[in-house]
Amino acid sequence: MEERVIHAIQDDYADEFAWCYGCGSLNEHGHHFRTGWDGDQTVTYYRPKKEHMAVPGFVYGGLIASLIDCHSTGSASLALHRKNGNEPGDGTEPPRFVTASLKVDYLKPTPQNTTLKAVGNVTEIHPKRWRVFTELYADQTLCAKGDVTVVVMPETFMENRNKEELSN
Amino acid sequence: MEERVIHAIQDDYADEFAWCYGCGSLNEHGHHFRTGWDGDQTVTYYRPKKEHMAVPGFVYGGLIASLIDCHSTGSASLALHRKNGNEPGDGTEPPRFVTASLKVDYLKPTPQNTTLKAVGNVTEIHPKRWRVFTELYADQTLCAKGDVTVVVMPETFMENRNKEELSN
């Protein structure tokens, strides 16, 4: 099993949007989740740190929610980017999404000391509104499911980017 | 506005269950969320760190999901503890819950540089299954809502505790 994404969508986010605690490549304290294509599905791999526990031996649910959150925004970004004729690594800046609604069902305790694999299926429900269904595996065991609605990043975030630039 | 919980339920969790990355008092890398009563509602305050951003100026959704997650398990623990005739700080070990299903609706971008306040309302839907509705405020602005179903920690976690003890 391939356990690393080669071309991740997060690698192509503009620098101003690469600070996310979950998936921003420039956030030195963050998780650095990376999401790419695996055929028509999306994948994110992550090996939780020792401190990311709920109780000893099992992964913290908030970490799983975080993984599914960034996996979902990244998956929608991949899908809209592909719809626009682009692929990660081709030098074009991908669209950015934010999360409108996050649902995670925890099916089984998720064991530590293994790499987690999130597998996503993306559906467009509106040009600016996408839905991502995720299955989270630890080894071959399905431990959690995600159902996340994301929207193209609204102008309020863009305005903030402009303010940030103006203040520099 | 009171911005600190005096008697938090997490302070009374048994040491074996105080390692949660979100709310465990013994996890030195964790968030240390603390949840207590405010009348018949539950509250958790948390000031995100600078790195807990989505984009500069706004809080990361995964951090908000984590806060709502531990706030919900803590809220149900408070409620069942009270039903059993106990209050935080009275020297009795409270029941522990785990999350079965987590739903977060992100209503507005959540600004950084302020203390977040999660306010919970707890409903018993079965002696071992509780539901917690949360409103998350930044200053006076409602930024997110949580709808979380939690269950009394199952035997699988307890068995792990026993194994941990046996291995010491």
Side-chain angles (χ1 to χ4, degrees):
Chain A
M1 186 194 295
E2 173 68 60
E3 294 219 344
R4 185 172 187 278
V5 169
I6 306 298
H7 292 291
I9 194 74
Q10 289 89 353
D11 299 343
D12 293 347
Y13 287 168
D15 280 358
E16 307 92 291
F17 295 129
W19 296 98
C20 174
Y21 186 69
C23 65
S25 59
L26 299 178
N27 191 323
E28 65 177 308
H29 301 287
H31 303 311
H32 299 168
F33 300 136
R34 296 175 69 255
T35 308
W37 286 115
D38 181 8
D40 291 332
Q41 294 182 309
T42 58
V43 291
T44 305
Y45 297 99
Y46 186 72
R47 190 174 182 91
K49 294 180 183 171
K50 188 183 177 195
E51 63 260 32
H52 294 148
M53 71 179 88
V55 296
F58 296 116
V59 178
Y60 171 50
L63 190 277
I64 292 169
S66 298
L67 173 56
I68 289 176
D69 184 12
C70 289
H71 167 77
S72 299
T73 52
S75 294
S77 183
L78 282 163
L80 179 53
H81 208 37
R82 178 170 280 184
K83 186 186 173 193
N84 292 338
N86 299 115
E87 293 292 329
D90 71 1
T92 53
E93 185 183 334
R96 281 298 310 268
F97 283 80
V98 295
T99 307
S101 174
L102 169 79
K103 174 112 184 324
V104 179
D105 288 310
Y106 298 93
L107 308 176
K108 293 188 179 182
T110 302
Q112 282 201 304
N113 302 319
T114 188
T115 297
L116 305 180
K117 181 183 185 182
V119 180
N121 286 287
V122 188
T123 304
E124 179 181 356
I125 52 179
H126 176 277
K128 291 190 171 183
R129 193 173 188 85
W130 297 62
R131 195 164 170 186
V132 183
F133 297 93
T134 296
E135 293 186 332
L136 184 89
Y137 293 90
D139 301 319
Q140 307 301 316
T141 304
L142 178 62
C143 293
K145 283 190 174 185
D147 177 358
V148 178
T149 300
V150 298
V151 295
V152 172
M153 188 175 279
E155 289 299 316
T156 45
F157 284 87
M158 297 297 182
E159 284 165 14
N160 202 59
R161 168 156 82 161
N162 294 338
K163 279 182 204 160
E164 291 284 322
E165 284 172 349
L166 286 171
S167 69
N168 286 337
Chain B
M1 187 194 294
E2 175 66 62
E3 295 221 343
R4 186 173 185 276
V5 169
I6 305 299
H7 291 292
I9 194 74
Q10 289 90 354
D11 299 343
D12 292 346
Y13 287 168
D15 279 358
E16 308 92 292
F17 295 130
W19 295 98
C20 173
Y21 186 69
C23 65
S25 59
L26 299 178
N27 190 323
E28 63 177 309
H29 301 287
H31 302 310
H32 299 167
F33 299 136
R34 297 175 69 254
T35 308
W37 285 115
D38 181 9
D40 291 334
Q41 294 181 310
T42 58
V43 290
T44 305
Y45 296 99
Y46 185 72
R47 191 175 182 92
K49 293 180 183 171
K50 188 183 175 193
E51 63 260 32
H52 294 148
M53 71 178 90
V55 294
F58 296 116
V59 178
Y60 172 50
L63 190 276
I64 293 169
S66 298
L67 172 56
I68 289 176
D69 184 13
C70 290
H71 167 77
S72 299
T73 52
S75 294
S77 183
L78 282 164
L80 179 52
H81 207 37
R82 177 169 282 184
K83 186 184 172 192
N84 292 339
N86 299 116
E87 294 292 328
D90 71 0
T92 54
E93 184 182 334
R96 281 297 312 266
F97 283 80
V98 295
T99 307
S101 174
L102 169 78
K103 174 111 185 322
V104 179
D105 289 310
Y106 298 94
L107 308 177
K108 292 188 179 181
T110 302
Q112 282 201 304
N113 302 317
T114 189
T115 296
L116 305 180
K117 180 183 185 182
V119 180
N121 285 287
V122 188
T123 305
E124 179 180 357
I125 52 180
H126 176 279
K128 290 190 172 183
R129 194 172 188 85
W130 297 62
R131 194 165 172 187
V132 183
F133 297 93
T134 296
E135 293 186 332
L136 183 89
Y137 293 90
D139 300 318
Q140 307 301 316
T141 303
L142 178 64
C143 293
K145 283 189 175 185
D147 176 358
V148 178
T149 300
V150 298
V151 295
V152 172
M153 189 175 277
E155 289 300 316
T156 45
F157 285 88
M158 298 296 183
E159 285 164 13
N160 202 58
R161 168 156 84 162
N162 294 339
K163 280 182 201 159
E164 291 284 322
E165 285 173 349
L166 286 171
S167 69
N168 286 337

